[in-house]
Amino acid sequence: MPIHSPWRADFPGILALEAEGQTYLDSAATAQKPQQVLDALLGYYAQGAANVHRAQHLPGERATRAFEDTRAKVARWLNVPSAQQIVFTHGATEAFNLLAYGLEHLFQPGEQLVISALEHHANLLPWQQLALRRQLELVVLPLDADGLIDLQQAAQLIGPRCRLLAVSQLSNVLGSWQPLPELLALAKAQDALTVVDGAQGIVHGRHDLAALDCDFYVASSHKLYGADGVGLLCGRASALQQLRHWQFGGEMLRSAEYHSAAFSPAPLGFEAGTPPVSGVIALGAALDYLAGLDDARVIAHEAALHAHLLAGLRARDGIRVLGAPDVALVSFVVEGVHHADLAHLLSEQGIAVRAGHHCAMPLMKGLGLPGAIRASLGLYNDASDLARFFDALDKALELLR
Ligand SMILES: Cc1ncc(COP(=O)(O)O)c(C=O)c1O
């Protein structure tokens, strides 16, 4: 059955790229936005922009209401009990840095921070640098043959010195769901804090953070069909209370003297300065859009794209898919072909895929690869995109081999 996306026409960016001869298969880097998100961005500016939490005037109240409505929508989307547990940052990367600085005071030299071998640099470097600052040990959980964090080894490595576990929900390279419940249980048994990188996971399906029961969950708006410049840090109330303030400036304080100040608790205490107002409001529009879709149809569509992409790659000689992807986010290499040459020929034919180390250099090194090609699909992709991709892939491989 041909794969048709009933939502394609909702995404002007996809239609514009198509008209330009471009097939967009890089949604894991950033997704295209539905019209509602574009309307929300334009609406905020066209109606009269205003800063939030500062002004009594009408535009200020309107912006603040829309901004705070988004906080409530995020809480509902992720089943977090209170909107006050949602902190807006300028991206997932900033949320990890907030955590690494905000939790630093809790750790003593010789204690361990535990991550995994597949982490994105955003969930590696802040912990690596924290470990260097505080003489902590950074423990890296290895992967099994399928590219999942190895639970047997994790059980050995997560011991009494572990103070924090920070792992990805869905790998941005291998496209595989990680065994979070088991890993979080291992960390909790040691009274360690738990951080989940949901930057990719949040895009696929609905997630119940109350059931997941981690201390912190991090994501980015721009991968979830929203605007860029907005990250999410969702925290358990007791975990947020342990954070020390890390960026200082306007609207994050209760009172200030020249030589001292008293700061607000989360969320506002961790949103110093003017936040990304338009982007947050647009995230609310993205969540409204997603909430209006038929979940069963979305799941079936994503599953069909995933199956078709994998089957097409596996049917071709010499292609090695990395790991065991669970979603339509698939990295691959081709025997005897450099990924950069292949990426060049694909992009010359209008195929937008990602090539390189995918911000996971240590993982690539561990796999013994200089890089890989990644095709990642969104709601708007359909059979015609995959047909163009495979056609271009065949032509490129014919030239290169
Ligand atoms: C798994 C994962 N974590 C974190 C990030 C960082 O997100 P951002 O660049 O939006 O801060 C990304 C972005 O690609 C990612 O894929």
Side-chain angles (χ1 to χ4, degrees), residues 95-172:
F96 287 113
N97 281 282
L98 185 170
L99 288 175
Y101 283 104
L103 297 173
E104 177 166 348
H105 67 104
L106 295 175
F107 306 121
Q108 304 307 322
E111 292 182 333
Q112 294 175 333
L113 307 175
V114 179
I115 60 164
S116 87
L118 54 69
E119 299 310 319
H120 187 283
H121 294 160
N123 191 33
L124 158 64
L125 301 180
W127 307 120
Q128 174 198 88
Q129 293 301 308
L130 168 59
L132 292 170
R133 286 197 301 277
R134 296 287 286 199
Q135 293 95 47
L136 308 173
E137 188 185 343
L138 187 71
V139 175
V140 182
L141 302 177
L143 308 181
D144 68 15
D146 288 330
L148 299 181
I149 299 169
D150 188 315
L151 285 175
Q152 273 185 355
Q153 298 210 51
Q156 302 297 317
L157 289 165
I158 298 176
R161 282 196 293 139
C162 169
R163 303 313 319 134
L164 176 136
L165 171 76
V167 284
S168 173
Q169 183 179 28
L170 180 80
S171 163
N172 65 307

Side-chain angles (χ1 to χ4, degrees), residues 3-7 11 27 31 77 170 177 200-207 223-225 290 293-310 325-330 376-382 386:
I3 307 165
H4 163 74
S5 168
W7 310 290
F11 291 83
S27 295
W77 186 258
L170 180 80
W177 295 109
Q200 296 295 341
I202 197 171
V203 182
H204 302 277
R206 286 288 290 267
H207 301 288
K223 296 184 198 287
L224 189 60
Y225 306 104
L290 292 171
L293 305 182
D294 175 343
D295 281 349
R297 266 183 112 181
V298 170
I299 291 168
H301 181 65
E302 289 203 340
L305 289 174
H306 171 232
H308 195 71
L309 175 60
L310 261 189
D326 295 312
V327 300
L329 184 173
V330 177
S376 57
L377 280 58
L379 285 174
Y380 32 69
N381 289 116
D382 64 12
L386 286 174

Side-chain angles (χ1 to χ4, degrees), residues 11 17 175 221 328 401:
F11 291 83
L17 287 171
S221 152
R401 291 203 282 214

Side-chain angles (χ1 to χ4, degrees), residues 45-88:
Y45 289 113
Q47 275 180 13
N51 217 325
V52 290
H53 305 129
R54 289 153 166 80
Q56 304 298 315
H57 51 62
L58 173 93
E61 274 176 24
R62 188 162 55 208
T64 303
R65 207 176 321 117
F67 187 91
E68 291 303 321
D69 278 354
T70 299
R71 210 189 293 280
K73 285 175 194 172
V74 172
R76 275 199 298 279
W77 186 258
L78 292 168
N79 194 25
V80 171
S82 161
Q84 299 309 297
Q85 291 171 243
I86 310 298
V87 176
F88 292 121

Side-chain angles (χ1 to χ4, degrees), residues 101-375:
Y101 283 104
L103 297 173
E104 177 166 348
H105 67 104
L106 295 175
F107 306 121
Q108 304 307 322
E111 292 182 333
Q112 294 175 333
L113 307 175
V114 179
I115 60 164
S116 87
L118 54 69
E119 299 310 319
H120 187 283
H121 294 160
N123 191 33
L124 158 64
L125 301 180
W127 307 120
Q128 174 198 88
Q129 293 301 308
L130 168 59
L132 292 170
R133 286 197 301 277
R134 296 287 286 199
Q135 293 95 47
L136 308 173
E137 188 185 343
L138 187 71
V139 175
V140 182
L141 302 177
L143 308 181
D144 68 15
D146 288 330
L148 299 181
I149 299 169
D150 188 315
L151 285 175
Q152 273 185 355
Q153 298 210 51
Q156 302 297 317
L157 289 165
I158 298 176
R161 282 196 293 139
C162 169
R163 303 313 319 134
L164 176 136
L165 171 76
V167 284
S168 173
Q169 183 179 28
L170 180 80
S171 163
N172 65 307
V173 178
L174 306 172
S176 44
W177 295 109
Q178 298 303 314
L180 285 186
E182 295 86 346
L183 287 165
L184 297 184
L186 289 170
K188 277 184 234 165
Q190 304 297 341
D191 270 336
L193 285 165
T194 52
V195 178
V196 171
D197 177 356
Q200 296 295 341
I202 197 171
V203 182
H204 302 277
R206 286 288 290 267
H207 301 288
D208 181 343
L209 293 199
L212 188 60
D213 203 25
C214 54
D215 290 308
F216 297 103
Y217 184 86
V218 171
S220 257
S221 152
H222 68 97
K223 296 184 198 287
L224 189 60
Y225 306 104
D228 47 29
V230 181
L232 301 176
L233 171 65
C234 313
R236 193 197 298 283
S238 58
L240 287 168
Q241 282 163 12
Q242 298 191 58
L243 282 174
R244 288 248 172 103
H245 294 85
W246 80 302
Q247 283 186 345
F248 301 91
E251 292 304 317
M252 49 80 68
L253 47 86
R254 288 190 171 129
S255 64
E257 308 288 338
Y258 279 116
H259 300 291
S260 66
F263 304 116
S264 303
L268 295 192
F270 296 89
E271 295 176 0
T274 299
V277 180
S278 60
V280 168
I281 293 172
L283 172 61
L287 293 178
D288 287 344
Y289 171 78
L290 292 171
L293 305 182
D294 175 343
D295 281 349
R297 266 183 112 181
V298 170
I299 291 168
H301 181 65
E302 289 203 340
L305 289 174
H306 171 232
H308 195 71
L309 175 60
L310 261 189
L313 289 171
R314 288 193 171 136
R316 285 163 171 79
D317 282 344
I319 291 188
R320 181 179 140 216
V321 168
L322 306 188
D326 295 312
V327 300
L329 184 173
V330 177
S331 298
F332 64 94
V333 289
V334 184
E335 218 178 279
V337 172
H338 195 281
H339 66 273
D341 296 334
L342 179 53
H344 178 70
L345 290 183
L346 287 174
S347 69
E348 273 201 335
Q349 298 176 82
I351 305 295
V353 288
R354 177 97 186 263
H357 52 65
H358 309 293
C359 298
M361 271 186 183
L363 170 63
M364 283 300 174
K365 272 196 200 142
L367 293 169
L369 297 170
I373 304 274
R374 181 183 72 186

